[in-house]
């Protein structure tokens, strides 16, 4: 029988890694204290379920972040449906039934001219109906200096204290003037408001908003800029719904005209509204 050879000596190689017990646990990111982490009965929020922050949580939000989360209309997503936001520009008429408009059976964001004599009253009515309000960018002087612009925005926003954003004008606004747009974005960020501009041209304002992380959205189209009748407006709404399906969201702007309101009501019943989730503009921003 062959001689038995002794087993080779085992050599332990130390890789130089610390023992598991000696490792420092990784730092954990802490949630922002003002955001709700659980419901009142201890359950975590569920997808598709709305959990309103408590008053203490809202009060804990810094002042410069206050207006948009505080005054935005509540919104619950409908599964994976794209968000469809309608902004209606208040025509300023004294005989306009704003309480009836605020009671429309879907989310609407109302844009109010801050220079109108009844601007604050109109905001109060829309807010009482559960809708949200944005400022129509009227009253910004052309060629304004930074100091003039800040004074103008403070003045016009004072008339609409519960507004959540600024909507640029359809023509002659600030969005394509980079110097002016940069100042507007800076002021809106300090005010805690978002911004709506139109999806045309270079849109320097939207570029600045994204650079500064300002809540913003672009308007796909004006649905009644040429005083269109209801059938034409419904076709525009169908096209906007198709755009929403492509991008996941869309914003359209109209006016508080009887024809526009009729078209919206008919479209939400008969058109492609079933394929989208009617949302306030804040939910898109």
């Amino acid at each position: 029988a062959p001689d038995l050879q002794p087993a080779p000596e085992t050599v332990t190689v130390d890789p130089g890694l610390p023992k598991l017990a000696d490792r420092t646990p990784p730092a954990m990111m802490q949630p922002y204290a003002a955001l709700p982490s659980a419901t009142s009965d201890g359950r975590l929020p569920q997808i598709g379920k709305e959990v309103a922050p408590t008053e203490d949580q809202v009060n804990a939000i810094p002042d410069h972040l206050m207006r948009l989360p505080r005054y935005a209309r509540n919104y619950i997503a409908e599964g994976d449906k794209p968000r469809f936001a309608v902004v209606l520009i208040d025509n300023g008429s004294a005989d306009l039934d704003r309480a009836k408009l605020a009671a429309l059976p879907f989310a609407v964001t109302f844009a109010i001219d801050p220079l109108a004599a009844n601007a604050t009253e109109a905001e109060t009515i829309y807010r009482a109906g559960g809708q949200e309000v944005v400022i129509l960018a009227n009253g910004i002087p052309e060629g304004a200096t930074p100091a003039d612009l800040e004074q103008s925005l403070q003045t016009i926003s004072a008339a609409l204290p519960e507004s959540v954003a600024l909507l640029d004008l359809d023509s002659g606004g600030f969005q394509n003037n980079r110097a002016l747009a940069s100042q507007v974005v800076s002021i809106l960020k300090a005010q805690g408001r978002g911004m709506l501009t139109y999806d045309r041209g270079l849109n320097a304002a939207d570029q600045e908003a994204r650079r500064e992380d300002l809540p913003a959205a672009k308007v796909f189209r004006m649905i009644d800029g040429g005083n269109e009748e209801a059938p034409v407006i419904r076709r525009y709404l169908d096209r906007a719904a198709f755009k929403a399906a492509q991008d996941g969201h869309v914003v359209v702007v109209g006016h508080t005209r009887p024809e526009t309101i009729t078209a919206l009501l008919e479209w939400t019943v008969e058109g492609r509204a079933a394929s989208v989730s009617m949302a306030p503009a804040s939910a898109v921003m």
Side-chain angles (χ1 to χ4, degrees):
D3 295 336
L4 296 177
Q5 299 296 324
E9 183 179 356
T10 303
V11 179
T12 303
V13 179
D14 184 0
L17 296 176
K19 297 179 180 179
L20 184 61
D22 296 334
R23 297 185 184 179
T24 302
M28 299 296 291
M29 294 183 65
Q30 299 299 322
Y32 181 52
L35 298 178
S37 59
T39 59
S40 58
D41 58 2
R43 294 179 291 106
L44 292 175
Q46 301 176 20
I47 296 176
K49 300 292 185 179
E50 180 182 8
V51 179
T54 66
E55 183 177 355
D56 290 340
Q57 290 168 333
V58 171
N59 292 334
I61 301 175
D63 291 341
H64 69 284
L65 299 176
M66 188 63 78
R67 289 183 177 88
L68 186 56
R70 173 169 285 182
Y71 300 122
R73 173 184 165 128
N74 293 334
Y75 171 74
I76 302 176
E78 299 179 38
D80 58 353
K81 288 184 178 181
R83 300 180 181 188
F84 193 107
V86 175
V87 180
L88 292 179
I89 299 175
D90 187 301
N91 62 15
S93 175
D95 58 354
L96 186 66
D97 193 343
R98 294 180 175 86
K100 188 174 181 179
L101 288 174
L104 286 170
F106 48 85
V108 181
T109 299
F110 290 94
I112 302 175
D113 183 350
L115 302 183
N118 57 354
T120 305
E121 178 186 356
E123 180 192 61
T124 301
I125 295 173
Y126 292 135
R127 293 286 300 135
Q131 306 288 8
E132 68 183 24
V133 169
V134 299
I135 306 170
L136 184 64
N138 198 11
I140 298 178
E142 185 176 355
T145 65
D148 292 338
L149 180 61
E150 184 171 4
Q151 181 63 35
S152 297
L153 285 179
Q154 287 179 350
T155 300
I156 64 178
S157 62
L160 302 169
E162 296 188 4
S163 56
V164 300
L166 179 72
L167 169 65
D168 197 13
L169 301 178
D170 183 36
S171 61
F174 60 82
Q175 71 177 55
N176 289 323
N177 183 327
R178 185 167 295 277
L180 193 61
S182 178
Q183 290 294 325
V184 170
V185 167
S186 177
I187 295 170
L188 290 177
K189 188 172 183 178
Q191 293 180 345
R193 291 186 167 96
M195 184 181 69
L196 293 167
T197 55
Y198 289 84
D199 189 9
R200 63 172 74 106
L202 295 177
N203 199 338
D206 188 71
Q207 295 175 13
E208 292 292 330
R210 300 192 184 284
R211 183 177 296 110
E212 296 297 326
D213 200 24
L214 180 78
K218 291 185 287 187
V219 176
F220 171 60
R221 76 172 305 156
M222 176 80 72
I223 59 175
D224 59 358
N227 294 324
E228 287 86 348
E229 297 297 327
V232 178
I233 295 174
R234 290 200 302 271
R235 289 201 298 272
Y236 290 165
L237 292 170
D238 282 342
R239 295 175 188 172
F242 180 75
K243 177 69 172 177
Q246 291 179 317
D247 297 347
H249 55 78
V250 78
V251 180
V252 297
V253 170
H255 296 79
T256 53
R257 302 167 56 240
E259 295 85 356
T260 303
I261 305 303
T262 297
L264 280 168
L265 288 170
E266 292 175 350
W267 182 77
T268 55
V269 176
E270 304 171 358
R272 294 184 178 177
S275 66
V276 299
S277 175
M278 302 298 290
S282 60
V284 178
M285 289 188 288

